[in-house]
Amino acid sequence: MIPSDILIPFNKPYLSGSELHNIAEAVSAGKLSGNGIFTQRCQRFFEEEYGFARALLTNSGTAALEMAALLLNLQPGDEVILPSFTFTSTANAFLLRGATLVFADSSPEHPNIDPGEIARLITPRTRAIVVVHYAGVACDMDFISSLVSQHNLILIEDAAQAIESYHGSRRLGTIGHLAAFSFHETKNISAGEGGLLAINDNQFAERAEILWEKGTNRAAFSRGETAKYEWVDIGSSFLPSELTAAFLCAQLDNRLRISKRRLQQWNVYQQALAPLMSIGVKLPLIPSYAQAHNAHIFYLLCRSPKERDLLIHHLRAHHILAIFHYQPLHTSPFFEHAYTGPPLPNTVYYAQHLLRLPLYYELSEEQQVCIAEQVLAFYQQ
């Protein structure tokens, strides 16, 4: 719920206008529990448009990550390298399967994982590398993919924020063996909740469908490929309802319009706030290989944690909701007792200095100008 004193919220989910029509169609079809016409339509879209070997809708991005972890068949002592500057789902998915989490620092230039840190952390026990494309901006996938090939590892893209973003000419989510997307209400493309497991390596496709169907071969049975469906593996309830899939279909039909609008808004901020760079406030740095990003987040890097907090309060006093983001996982109350690695100074820096500004489809240029003016006014005090 948006606080009553806020005129410009941090986020507002986009509605295309077709969502309720699709939901009514799903209700009329009489199958609401999942894997109906809208689920299949969404999955077919991703397989045909993105080129995934298999695409499976899930009830959240978290569920997609948990499926990816299940597919690895992790054993005690297996290590998974991942960033500390990320949401808990990235870590929980692999910790739940018994993996040893090896946290890597962020790059000094941007919040994404530092490829040099990944290289330093690989051991004979490493099984997988999980990258998070923060703000929809690609990690250095050429360097990371070369490490994966060199050490015979599995690469998983946490692309929760990265739909319609690219690394060079390649869509994010198509580079790793597996990828997880999120359609949470805060994402560019939303279904309220929802996610997608993208499978780019066929070795995982058949088993992924079984895990997705609670460990049964029900999907194969529904296609007439087996005489009955039975319990054949582990699994869980990963399918979203048809109502979620119907909502998502309407969003996907408008994905390019959403991306174009958000990029325009992102550029308005970038231009209006550029003067701050002369006094040491940093704006997002977009590497050359990540220029085609989806404008999921626009952030500032304030000069100190205190300054960041004061700016939040200043904007709130002018009815604008701006917020910070992830806190380091390696020093979290849950994990700090288990962390034995070195300090991760860049992760801590982003956690303490990063401030996200409002960015959503209906945000007007007039509102953006107001936000930028208030940010500039704060620094002119």
Side-chain angles (χ1 to χ4, degrees):
M1 180 178 294
I2 298 170
S4 59
D5 63 330
I6 294 298
L7 298 178
I8 303 178
F10 172 72
N11 178 68
K12 186 177 180 181
Y14 168 78
L15 295 175
S16 73
S18 302
E19 288 84 0
L20 292 180
H21 171 79
N22 284 4
I23 289 171
E25 185 178 337
V27 171
S28 297
K31 178 173 173 53
L32 301 181
S33 60
N35 203 15
I37 57 172
F38 283 103
T39 297
Q40 293 166 18
R41 187 181 301 175
C42 289
Q43 292 179 169
R44 186 165 58 249
F45 164 83
F46 281 109
E47 290 167 1
E48 294 176 355
E49 179 70 19
Y50 281 57
F52 300 138
R54 193 69 199 275
L56 296 172
L57 284 192
T58 59
N59 48 43
S60 65
T62 299
L65 286 166
E66 290 178 358
M67 285 186 66
L70 281 166
L71 287 167
L72 294 187
N73 282 326
L74 294 166
Q75 303 299 314
D78 286 346
E79 295 176 350
V80 174
I81 297 173
L82 71 162
S84 177
F85 191 72
T86 184
F87 190 54
T88 55
S89 294
T90 314
N92 273 328
F94 301 93
L95 192 62
L96 283 167
R97 307 320 311 165
T100 298
L101 302 183
V102 180
F103 286 115
D105 205 2
S106 297
S107 165
E109 289 80 29
H110 50 76
N112 281 339
I113 194 167
D114 186 336
E117 287 294 290
I118 296 175
R120 183 182 64 80
L121 294 170
I122 292 173
T123 75
R125 296 181 298 278
T126 305
R127 285 288 315 284
I129 297 170
V130 184
V131 299
V132 177
H133 303 298
Y134 183 77
V137 176
C139 296
D140 187 348
M141 298 306 287
D142 286 342
F143 188 98
I144 295 169
S145 293
S146 69
L147 290 176
V148 168
S149 297
Q150 179 183 348
H151 296 278
N152 194 29
L153 304 175
I154 299 297
L155 177 58
I156 298 169
E157 295 179 77
D158 183 338
Q161 302 177 5
I163 191 167
E164 291 298 323
S165 286
Y166 289 77
H167 179 280
S169 61
R170 300 181 67 183
R171 274 194 172 103
L172 298 186
T174 67
I175 302 169
H177 298 86
L178 301 164
F181 291 87
S182 171
F183 305 120
H184 185 268
E185 71 169 38
T186 57
K187 303 302 188 288
N188 294 20
I189 304 297
S190 169
E193 281 281 6
L196 178 83
L197 177 67
I199 301 161
N200 299 308
D201 187 330
N202 271 316
Q203 70 169 306
F204 298 113
E206 182 177 352
R207 184 165 184 244
E209 186 179 66
I210 291 170
L211 302 182
W212 184 65
E213 280 281 18
K214 306 175 184 68
T216 74
N217 57 358
R218 180 165 58 180
F221 171 74
S222 68
R223 294 191 297 266
E225 296 169 3
T226 182
K228 53 187 175 180
Y229 78 84
E230 301 173 289
W231 186 14
V232 296
D233 202 340
I234 59 174
S236 191
S237 183
F238 292 120
L239 279 77
S241 78
E242 273 299 285
L243 303 183
T244 298
F247 194 106
L248 179 60
C249 268
Q251 298 267 310
L252 292 174
D253 290 341
N254 291 276
R255 72 195 186 284
L256 298 181
R257 182 170 67 177
I258 296 169
S259 293
K260 181 180 179 181
R261 172 69 176 152
R262 292 183 71 102
L263 280 167
Q264 290 170 343
Q265 294 168 320
W266 194 95
N267 287 326
V268 166
Y269 277 141
Q270 184 80 357
Q271 183 175 352
L273 297 173
L276 295 178
M277 298 176 70
S278 65
I279 61 169
V281 177
K282 298 178 183 178
L283 304 186
L285 185 149
I286 309 297
S288 59
Y289 52 76
Q291 291 298 308
H293 64 95
N294 68 356
H296 179 59
I297 293 172
F298 190 92
Y299 62 84
L300 304 176
L301 292 169
C302 299
R303 295 172 297 187
S304 71
K306 181 178 179 181
E307 180 181 274
R308 194 265 306 272
D309 293 343
L310 289 173
L311 178 53
I312 289 175
H313 290 301
H314 171 82
L315 293 173
R316 179 65 179 258
H318 289 83
H319 314 293
I320 299 163
L321 186 59
I323 57 179
F324 55 86
H325 211 182
Y326 304 130
Q327 298 305 292
L329 295 185
H330 72 289
T331 59
S332 64
F334 174 71
F335 202 82
E336 62 180 343
H337 70 283
Y339 184 68
T340 58
L344 306 180
N346 297 325
T347 297
V348 173
Y349 169 79
Y350 293 119
Q352 294 180 344
H353 295 76
L354 189 146
L355 173 65
R356 296 181 291 165
L357 296 179
L359 184 59
Y360 50 91
Y361 188 91
E362 293 182 20
L363 185 69
S364 68
E365 186 167 349
E366 180 182 8
Q367 289 174 311
Q368 283 195 273
V369 169
C370 174
I371 294 167
E373 286 178 347
Q374 287 303 328
V375 172
L376 294 171
F378 171 81
Y379 282 103
Q380 290 166 0
Q381 295 179 111

